[in-house]
């Protein structure tokens, strides 16, 4: 969600998802997590429930703060596996970064853990690539805590901006009335992705990256 | 029309999928004019819009099919535009449209016109497959995947409803004019080979390789005919082939990504088909890849890493001694509070930790708990566990010593050193010194062992254990279990038979207690009382008989009759030795009948005006059982068997019908003596039965010529008048019989 916020603040169209079966948040002990359903429980409902449960505890561990941030980003957590790519997202217009995601597709998926990367690739196999639309799936390994999330959010934003810039450049270069094309410069954005990622990895060596060209 | 107007048309379609039906025909001329005017922005928008429209899940496939034909010419034109973005989107749109047009042609074999345009589009795209920039080639890969899907046979879910089925070669009739089956099949096979060649080609182009791998999953999933070929090819793919080239950052990330993509594909295949024939090979492949990946990527880390042993307590100035025993810090072990302690306190080493206060009952799902416990068990450090066990052991020993001291306060001979209890011994080993063990056992022997436990029982907060409630028995089951119990009881009797000593004490008659000893007699008593009295008082005599009749009609017996049957069988199995059992049982039967009869008589007196039962109820269990036993035994009785004599003399009541069995027995010349002897014995020792004895003997005398001489001897004494009146009449028979008898004797 930190990454969602940073990407949206940079005016990049953004959707965010979880890949687990349930939304799991820390509870009073490590053995008693607070568990919610995806796609139905709103962030404000979770926030108010936890606030009534134990305000000092959840303030102290930053959970209420995080939920307070999240409910300004989007109304409720969504699950990747339940997402139907290509289904218009007009009802999400209030979410931050919603502009540009109305058609319900994205060009890039970025996960923050290897198991999420695996889950996304697996789910895309299950979805069957019905849209015939390519999507670059990245993984940026980030430890799940507030500090790392902040740093990881910056790293993801860096990656996204690098990709966006390359895509924009490729589009502009091709838009010169076909001169570049005739000169044999027909390179597009996609083939540059491995190089962009490799450069990014040099800048962020502590977040081992993965990537795959998958299909919606 | 400018872009913003087009965007608002698109927004309309996004809001409601069916608007594509009207919006697309309106937009197509605009795109066409953009192609002629080389308006790149509109061309790009148009290509994207076509790709988006034909991919839209909100627009029905049926509607798409009808619109798709009109889109074909514009697609053909867009593919000629010199812009990578336009071409990519056009290929994407073509990939979505190809199956739709293909299905249209299957059902319209004469529509040559549209099929020709489709073929032109197709060949345009296939031409690009090898030469175009990678970004375009990946779209060609997806287009080829769609062709293969359409042109290989799929599974037909329902042949009667072709519109429901997956678009595949299975829908194409063999004699299709426009698209010959064999050609389609061959083309698909060739294209598949081209796809598979990509993953075995130049691996530096990870874009193309991962794009291909990610499109193969669908083929494996939906086209079983090619699944084996595809899997075999993937299993020969080596994503780490680049390891031999320079380890640039790009190569590293590309290799890792290809390896990971292959793994995701194969794991998806296993997940979708857990019993697949290829799964063994896939597992092997994944393991091999895992090892290879470690080899390739962890090279930098393989400079003999420091052992991950705990370094606490080791001298940091010295070289790490891996085998050294890190001493345990005794300060960290909390002492048990004085006085009685609970088991929980005994086993809790760190009372402040979260784990100690954690209630496992919080887990409603035992499965989940199990998973966690397994993980925890696996992660336990062995030395830590050993230490913990030693701590608990020493605490326990201390406690045992304490309890001994309290139990035997006057024994000063064992000076328990203060150090022993105050200080935890860091080097405590499970095998403590032998003297200690001996002393300890000695002391333990001296102490009443219950004390140790009893001291702590009040603190032990064990929940009361309840057996789960058994499901209620059906009538049938209850009967079966009853039978089983009776059979087991008889088994017990048979088992105790040998052991039972013949020396019997005083007999207590009906006042004896059934279960005062555990010998055969006690069990026989229990059993026969069960048979006779179990239902006693619940029903009156008549009802009893009726209800048993009903039970018999239903095809099963009452408990009493089951037991009776069992006892009878038991007696008959070795009746000579078990006469006492028979007597015992029959006596109980008689007694019970009596009690029942008395009760009925009482009731009858109270209700009706005195219909008294003065004789043995003809339906009584006693009589029925006696006759049954007699009828069972008599055929096997030999002339010299004194057992029968005993039985007849010891059963509590006789009537004519019972004694007539003796008359019957006397029809066998060999057993005349025995039956006469029985009658004589009963006459002598059972005076109440004398009358019946005489009657039976008299009848015998009349009917059985061979028994006449013996009967006569007795009748002379008992009832001479019989002989006088009938003597003349029967003389002839006697003489003729007399010869025979002389022979037989």
């Amino acid at each position: 969600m930190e990454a969602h916020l940073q990407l949206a603040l940079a005016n990049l169209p953004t959707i965010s998802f979880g890949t687990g079966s349930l939304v799991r948040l820390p509870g009073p002990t490590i053995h008693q997590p607070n568990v919610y359903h995806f796609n139905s429980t709103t962030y404000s409902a979770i926030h108010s429930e936890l606030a009534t449960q134990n305000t000092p505890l959840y303030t102290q561990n930053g959970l209420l703060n995080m939920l307070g941030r999240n409910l300004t980003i989007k109304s409720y957590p969504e699950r990747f596996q339940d997402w139907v790519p290509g289904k218009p997202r007009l009802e999400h217009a209030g979410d931050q970064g919603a502009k540009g995601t109305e058609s319900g597709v994205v060009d890039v998926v970025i996960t923050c853990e290897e198991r999420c990367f695996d889950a996304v690739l697996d789910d895309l196999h299950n979805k069957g690539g019905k849209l015939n639309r390519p999507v670059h799936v990245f993984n940026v390994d980030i430890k799940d805590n507030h500090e790392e999330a902040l740093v990881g959010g910056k790293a993801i934003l860096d990656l996204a901006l690098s990709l966006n810039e390359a895509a924009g450049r490729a589009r502009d270069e091709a838009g010169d009335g076909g001169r570049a094309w005739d000169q044999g410069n027909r390179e597009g954005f996609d083939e540059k992705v491995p190089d962009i990622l490799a450069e990014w990895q040099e800048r962020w060596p502590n977040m081992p990256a993965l990537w795959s060209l998958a299909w919606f | 029309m400018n872009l913003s107007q087009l965007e608002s048309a698109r927004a309309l379609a996004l809001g409601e999928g069916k608007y594509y039906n009207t919006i697309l025909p309106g937009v197509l001329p605009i795109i066409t004019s953009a192609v002629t005017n080389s308006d790149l922005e509109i061309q790009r928008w148009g290509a994207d819009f076509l790709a988006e429209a034909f991919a839209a899940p909100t627009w029905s496939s049926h509607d798409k099919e009808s619109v798709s034909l009109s889109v074909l010419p514009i697609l053909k034109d867009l593919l000629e535009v010199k812009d990578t973005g336009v071409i990519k989107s056009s290929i994407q749109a073509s990939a979505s449209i190809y199956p739709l047009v293909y299905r249209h042609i299957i059902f319209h074999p004469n529509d040559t016109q549209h099929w020709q345009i489709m073929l032109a589009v197709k060949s345009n795209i296939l031409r690009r497959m090898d030469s175009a920039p990678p970004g375009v080639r990946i779209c060609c890969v997806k287009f080829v995947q769609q062709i293969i899907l359409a042109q290989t046979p799929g599974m037909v879910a329902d042949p009667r409803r072709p519109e429901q089925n997956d678009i595949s070669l299975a829908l194409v009739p063999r004699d299709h004019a426009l698209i010959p089956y064999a050609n389609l099949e061959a083309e698909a096979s060739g294209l598949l080979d081209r796809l598979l060649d990509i993953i075995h080609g130049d691996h530096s182009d990870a874009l193309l390789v991962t794009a291909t791998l990610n499109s193969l999953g669908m083929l494996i999933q939906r086209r079983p005919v090619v699944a084996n070929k595809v899997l075999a090819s993937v299993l020969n793919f080596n994503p780490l082939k680049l390891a031999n080239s320079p380890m640039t950052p790009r190569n590293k990330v590309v290799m890792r990504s290809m390896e990971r993509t292959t793994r995701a594909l194969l794991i998806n295949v296993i997940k979708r088909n857990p019993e697949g024939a290829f799964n063994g090979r896939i597992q092997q492949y994944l393991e091999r890849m895992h090892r290879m990946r470690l080899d390739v990527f962890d090279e930098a880390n393989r400079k003999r890493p420091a052992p991950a042993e705990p370094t606490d307590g080791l001298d940091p100035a010295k070289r790490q001694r891996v085998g050294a025993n890190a001493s345990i810090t005794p300060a960290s072990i909390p002492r048990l509070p004085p006085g009685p302690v609970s088991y929980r306190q005994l086993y809790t080493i760190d009372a402040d930790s979260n784990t100690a206060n954690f209630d496992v009952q919080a887990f409603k799902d035992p499965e989940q708990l199990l998973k966690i416990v397994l993980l925890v068990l696996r992660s336990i450090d062995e030395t830590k566990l050993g230490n913990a066990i030693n701590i608990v052991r020493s605490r326990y020993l201390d406690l045992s010593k304490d309890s001994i001291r309290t139990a035997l306060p006057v024994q000063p001979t064992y000076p328990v050193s203060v150090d022993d209890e105050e200080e935890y011994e860091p080097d405590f080993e499970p095998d403590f010194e032998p003297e200690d063990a001996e002393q300890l056992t000695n002391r333990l022997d001296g102490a009443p062992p219950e004390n140790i436990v009893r001291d702590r029982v009040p603190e032990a907060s064990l929940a009361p254990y309840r057996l789960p409630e058994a499901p209620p028995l059906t009538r049938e089951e209850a009967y079966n279990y009853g039978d089983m119990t009776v059979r087991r009881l008889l088994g017990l009797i048979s088992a105790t038979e040998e052991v039972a000593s013949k020396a019997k004490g005083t007999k207590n008659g009906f006042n004896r207690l059934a279960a005062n000893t555990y010998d055969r007699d006690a069990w026989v008593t229990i059993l026969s009382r069960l048979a006779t009295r179990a239902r006693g008082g619940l029903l009156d005599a008549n009802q009893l008989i009726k209800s048993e009749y009903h039970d018999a009609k239903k095809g099963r017996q009452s408990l009493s009759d089951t037991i009776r049957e069992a006892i009878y069988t038991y007696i008959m199995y070795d009746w000579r030795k078990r006469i006492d059992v028979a007597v015992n049982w029959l006596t109980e039967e008689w007694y019970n009948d009596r009690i029942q009869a008395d009760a009925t008589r009482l009731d009858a007196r109270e209700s009706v005006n005195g219909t008294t039962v003065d004789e043995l109820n003809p339906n009584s269990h006693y009589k029925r059982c006696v006759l049954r036993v007699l009828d069972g035994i008599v055929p096997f009785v030999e002339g010299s068997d004194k057992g029968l004599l005993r039985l007849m003399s010891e059963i509590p009541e006789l009537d004519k019908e019972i004694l007539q069995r003796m008359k019957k027995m006397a029809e066998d010349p060999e057993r005349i003596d025995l039956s006469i002897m029985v009658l004589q014995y009963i006459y002598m020792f059972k005076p109440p039965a004398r009358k019946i004895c005489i009657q039976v003997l008299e009848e015998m005398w009349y009917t059985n010529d061979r028994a006449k001489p013996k009967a006569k001897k007795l009748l002379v004494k008992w009832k001479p008048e019989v002989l006088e009146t009938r003597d003349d009449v029967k003389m002839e028979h006697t003489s003729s019989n007399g010869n025979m008898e002389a022979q037989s004797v």
Side-chain angles (χ1 to χ4, degrees):
Chain A
M1 285 302 282
E2 179 58 37
H4 184 148
L5 183 65
Q6 298 207 20
L7 293 172
L9 288 178
N11 286 321
L12 296 170
T14 311
I15 318 175
S16 57
F17 297 98
T19 54
S21 52
L22 292 163
V23 182
R24 289 187 179 80
L25 296 173
T29 73
I30 195 164
H31 310 289
Q32 294 166 282
N34 286 301
V35 172
Y36 301 96
H37 286 288
F38 271 114
N39 308 333
S40 55
T41 324
T42 62
Y43 279 118
S44 56
I46 299 175
H47 186 278
S48 59
E49 188 185 311
L50 293 189
T52 34
Q53 206 183 81
N54 192 344
T55 310
L57 170 68
Y58 296 124
T59 309
Q60 185 258 326
N61 69 8
L63 203 52
L64 288 180
N65 187 31
M66 186 188 86
L67 289 165
R69 176 201 69 190
N70 289 358
L71 62 86
T72 64
I73 297 173
K74 60 190 292 179
S75 52
Y76 55 85
E78 293 174 83
R79 184 168 181 253
F80 189 82
Q81 287 88 338
D82 300 330
W83 176 39
V84 181
K87 184 167 171 275
R89 290 174 59 85
L90 302 177
E91 74 277 15
H92 289 272
D95 296 0
Q96 292 203 42
K99 193 168 178 300
T101 64
E102 296 87 353
S103 61
V105 284
V106 291
D107 299 310
V108 167
V109 172
I110 302 175
T111 60
C112 302
E113 256 181 272
E114 289 201 1
R115 63 186 174 89
C116 300
F117 180 79
D118 293 340
V120 165
L121 287 190
D122 187 62
D123 181 59
L124 290 178
H125 278 300
N126 290 342
K127 286 191 164 105
K130 294 197 183 79
L131 308 193
N132 298 311
R133 185 188 164 100
V135 55
H136 293 274
V137 184
F138 297 90
N139 180 60
V140 174
D141 239 22
I142 300 174
K143 285 194 188 68
D144 194 6
N145 61 47
H146 298 306
E147 297 75 27
E148 293 288 325
L150 222 58
V151 181
K154 285 200 174 68
I156 287 175
L157 180 63
D158 180 18
L159 177 60
L161 288 175
S162 309
L163 294 168
N164 206 35
E165 192 204 332
R169 211 170 37 234
R171 198 178 158 89
D172 291 343
E173 279 171 9
D176 61 355
R179 273 192 299 278
W181 180 277
D182 290 334
Q183 289 161 10
N185 182 11
R186 300 172 190 181
E187 288 276 297
F189 155 74
D190 299 295
E191 44 271 48
K192 295 199 182 85
V193 169
D195 296 313
I196 297 166
L197 184 64
E199 283 164 24
W200 177 91
Q201 184 75 84
E202 302 267 90
R203 293 197 294 277
W204 303 91
N206 293 328
M207 296 179 196
L210 288 170
W211 157 79
S212 191
L213 191 282
W215 298 96
F216 273 140
Chain B
M1 197 184 264
N2 61 22
L3 263 182
S4 66
Q5 283 171 303
L6 288 172
E7 272 302 327
S8 52
R10 175 176 171 243
L12 204 62
L14 286 178
E16 183 62 62
K18 66 179 183 220
Y19 290 149
Y20 279 116
N21 287 329
T22 48
I23 290 169
L24 251 178
V27 164
L28 283 181
I30 301 166
I31 305 173
T32 316
S33 66
V35 172
T36 36
N37 301 335
S38 299
D39 184 345
L40 187 60
E41 283 307 306
I42 304 284
Q43 285 171 1
R44 280 178 174 170
W45 184 91
D48 289 348
F49 183 68
L50 289 179
E52 182 175 279
F54 285 97
T58 48
W59 191 23
S60 80
S61 143
H62 182 261
D63 289 353
K64 278 180 194 167
E65 188 179 317
S66 49
V67 181
S68 66
L69 300 173
S70 59
V71 174
L72 285 174
I74 191 79
L75 266 185
K76 188 166 167 276
D77 293 344
L78 283 173
L79 282 169
E80 301 298 336
V81 173
K82 293 174 180 174
D83 179 77
T84 310
V86 172
I87 292 172
K88 277 169 63 181
S89 295
S90 305
I91 299 175
Q92 287 171 39
S94 308
S96 301
I97 284 174
Y98 184 79
L100 302 170
V101 176
Y102 176 79
R103 183 165 64 186
H104 167 81
I105 297 299
I106 291 171
F107 297 110
H108 303 87
N110 303 320
D111 192 356
T112 322
Q113 191 204 343
H114 284 118
W115 187 239
Q116 286 306 330
I117 309 174
M118 187 74 245
L119 285 183
V121 169
K122 185 170 161 184
S123 59
N124 182 319
I125 296 171
L126 292 181
R127 262 203 316 277
R128 295 169 190 272
M129 190 146 160
D130 295 323
S131 56
V136 177
R137 287 175 70 192
I138 56 170
C139 296
C140 297
V141 164
K142 195 70 176 54
F143 181 74
V144 167
Q145 183 222 34
Q146 289 296 312
I147 298 178
I148 298 171
L149 272 176
Q151 298 185 188
T152 44
M155 283 167 297
V156 179
D158 187 350
R160 291 162 299 177
R161 302 182 66 191
E163 73 280 3
Q164 294 282 311
N165 285 324
D166 186 16
I167 299 167
S168 81
L169 191 60
L171 300 181
V172 180
R174 293 270 168 179
D175 54 351
H176 199 287
L178 209 52
I179 42 174
Y181 188 97
N183 293 9
L184 293 177
E185 199 175 20
E187 188 190 29
S189 169
L191 287 173
L192 179 62
D193 287 341
R194 281 178 77 177
L195 268 196
L196 297 177
D197 281 346
I198 292 174
I199 61 171
H200 294 291
D202 178 12
H203 283 190
S204 61
D205 203 345
L207 181 79
L208 204 55
V209 173
T210 55
T212 309
L213 286 171
N214 281 322
S215 59
L216 289 179
M218 188 65 168
L219 290 175
I220 298 170
Q221 216 183 95
R222 280 176 47 194
R223 293 291 177 269
V225 280
V226 299
N228 285 355
K229 186 179 176 182
V230 174
L231 270 175
S233 181
V234 172
L235 291 177
N236 281 321
F237 168 61
N238 178 9
L240 303 172
K241 214 160 78 176
L242 281 178
N244 298 325
S245 50
M247 252 323 174
T248 60
R250 185 184 193 275
N251 277 356
K252 264 192 210 168
V253 78
V254 157
M255 265 194 291
R256 275 161 44 92
S257 300
M258 286 196 290
E259 194 264 343
R260 200 75 178 196
T261 306
T262 317
R263 206 177 87 172
L265 168 67
L266 292 175
I267 287 178
N268 183 263
V269 170
I270 294 182
K271 268 200 217 162
R272 287 185 155 269
N273 185 7
E275 271 94 44
F278 266 89
N279 289 4
R281 282 185 62 190
I282 292 176
Q283 290 289 2
Q284 282 176 5
Y285 177 88
L286 291 175
E287 277 165 32
R288 202 175 70 231
M289 279 305 131
H290 180 69
R291 281 198 302 275
M292 280 173 72
R293 186 165 53 105
L294 290 182
D295 281 352
V296 170
F297 291 106
D298 294 356
E299 199 132 39
N301 301 333
R302 273 190 294 165
K303 267 187 183 170
R304 275 198 303 160
E309 256 73 25
T311 52
D312 302 22
L314 288 170
D315 186 352
K318 288 183 183 172
R319 198 159 50 86
Q320 290 184 5
R321 286 177 304 154
V322 178
N325 275 327
S327 63
I328 312 144
T329 46
S332 66
I333 302 142
R335 302 257 313 137
L336 285 177
V341 286
S342 67
Y343 278 116
R344 183 187 163 150
Q345 281 169 303
L346 176 63
Y347 283 100
T348 307
I349 289 165
D350 182 5
D352 300 327
S353 82
N354 280 335
T355 332
N357 299 321
F358 176 60
D359 182 7
V360 282
Q361 289 176 341
F363 284 93
K364 298 283 179 271
D365 180 11
E367 283 292 316
Q368 201 184 0
L369 183 63
L370 212 62
K371 273 183 202 158
I372 292 170
V373 168
L374 278 177
L375 279 177
V376 169
L377 282 178
R378 220 180 294 157
S379 67
I380 284 177
D381 181 7
E382 213 175 311
T383 51
K384 267 189 182 172
L385 180 67
N387 289 335
I389 292 171
N390 281 340
I391 292 167
V392 174
R393 200 199 309 265
S394 74
R395 282 177 174 181
Y396 185 76
L397 287 175
D398 283 349
L399 284 170
S400 316
K401 285 176 199 165
D402 285 350
S403 67
I404 291 157
R405 236 183 300 125
T406 48
L408 303 166
V410 285
Q411 276 191 324
T413 40
Y414 302 109
V416 182
S417 83
V418 180
D419 287 1
D420 266 10
E421 0 164 82
E422 291 288 318
E423 252 180 39
Y424 173 71
E425 298 165 73
D427 298 326
F428 195 91
E429 289 292 347
D431 42 347
F432 30 80
E433 290 169 38
E435 308 99 81
D436 283 357
E438 220 174 86
Q439 286 176 354
L440 191 77
T441 40
N442 286 345
R443 274 178 276 171
L444 281 173
D445 284 347
E450 295 89 345
N451 259 17
I452 300 166
V453 182
R454 208 182 295 148
D455 277 355
R456 296 181 221 313
V457 163
E459 280 84 26
S461 56
L462 278 177
Y465 179 71
R466 276 193 199 87
L467 278 173
E469 212 161 274
L473 291 176
T474 64
R475 213 179 153 80
E476 207 63 53
E477 282 173 326
Y479 272 108
N480 290 340
Y481 289 135
D483 279 0
M484 218 185 290
T485 315
V486 171
R487 250 179 282 131
R488 290 192 59 169
L489 207 48
L490 280 165
L492 202 61
I493 294 172
S494 308
T496 51
E497 196 157 46
E498 274 71 47
V499 192
S501 62
K502 292 291 161 195
K504 276 170 193 162
T506 51
K507 289 212 167 193
N508 295 323
F510 289 120
N511 294 325
R512 72 190 183 278
L513 289 171
N516 52 356
T517 57
Y518 295 98
D519 58 4
R520 186 181 77 136
D521 285 3
W523 288 118
V524 168
T525 312
I526 287 174
L527 206 55
S528 43
R529 285 187 184 171
L530 259 180
T532 55
R533 300 187 200 178
R535 297 173 73 170
L538 292 178
L539 306 155
D540 70 36
N542 295 324
Q543 268 176 341
L544 194 66
I545 288 153
K546 261 189 223 155
S547 76
E548 278 175 11
Y549 172 68
H550 280 300
D551 283 347
K553 252 174 95 176
K554 276 186 223 150
R556 59 172 110 80
Q557 295 168 305
S558 69
L559 176 66
S560 305
D561 275 9
T562 314
I563 303 174
R564 286 189 178 107
E565 191 63 37
I567 300 177
Y568 172 75
T569 319
Y570 172 73
I571 294 167
M572 291 314 296
Y573 194 73
D574 189 1
W575 64 269
R576 284 188 182 84
K577 280 189 185 157
R578 291 172 186 173
I579 288 291
D580 59 332
V581 178
V583 171
N584 199 331
W585 167 43
L586 293 173
T587 311
E588 290 289 351
E589 289 283 8
W590 171 82
Y591 175 75
N592 187 54
D593 282 346
R594 259 300 152 93
I595 299 292
Q596 297 285 325
D598 282 349
T600 328
R601 197 159 35 204
L602 259 169
D603 286 352
R605 252 186 222 142
E606 277 165 17
S607 54
V608 193
N609 192 13
T611 42
T612 53
V613 185
D614 56 356
E615 246 317 297
L616 195 60
N617 185 342
N619 293 327
S620 74
H621 295 305
Y622 168 71
K623 185 168 169 185
R624 191 162 56 87
C625 295
V626 169
L627 290 177
R628 180 127 192 261
V629 171
L630 276 179
D631 289 349
I633 290 175
V634 163
F636 301 101
V637 169
E638 286 171 20
S640 56
D641 266 333
K642 295 289 190 288
L644 182 72
L645 186 61
R646 183 181 164 197
L647 178 72
M648 293 301 288
S649 62
E650 284 190 10
I651 55 175
E653 193 163 352
L654 296 163
D655 71 1
K656 197 172 172 190
E657 206 179 339
I658 296 171
L659 282 178
Q660 266 171 341
R661 295 297 194 272
M662 297 298 104
K663 189 186 92 183
K664 181 87 181 150
M665 191 172 75
E667 282 169 14
D668 176 3
E670 283 187 21
R671 294 185 289 182
I672 292 171
D673 283 331
L674 182 62
S675 70
I676 298 286
M677 200 192 292
V678 169
L679 290 175
Q680 188 179 8
Y681 187 93
I682 290 170
Y683 183 86
M684 284 161 71
F685 292 101
K686 296 223 158 176
R690 272 187 184 175
K691 212 170 107 187
I692 316 168
C693 272
I694 295 166
Q695 280 174 12
V696 173
L697 194 64
E698 194 180 344
E699 278 172 32
M700 213 190 280
W701 188 80
Y702 283 132
T703 54
N704 191 339
D705 287 342
R706 277 177 244 174
K708 240 173 191 167
K710 302 266 177 180
K712 192 178 171 184
K713 281 183 193 164
L714 293 179
L715 282 172
V716 168
K717 281 191 267 176
W718 296 347
K719 204 176 176 186
E721 58 270 31
V722 178
L723 301 176
E724 283 166 22
T725 49
R726 300 293 172 106
D727 221 12
D728 301 335
V729 188
K730 300 285 174 187
M731 270 318 275
E732 294 154 35
H733 296 284
T734 323
S735 61
S736 60
N737 260 348
N739 292 337
M740 280 179 75
E741 198 178 79
Q743 286 166 3
S744 71
V745 168

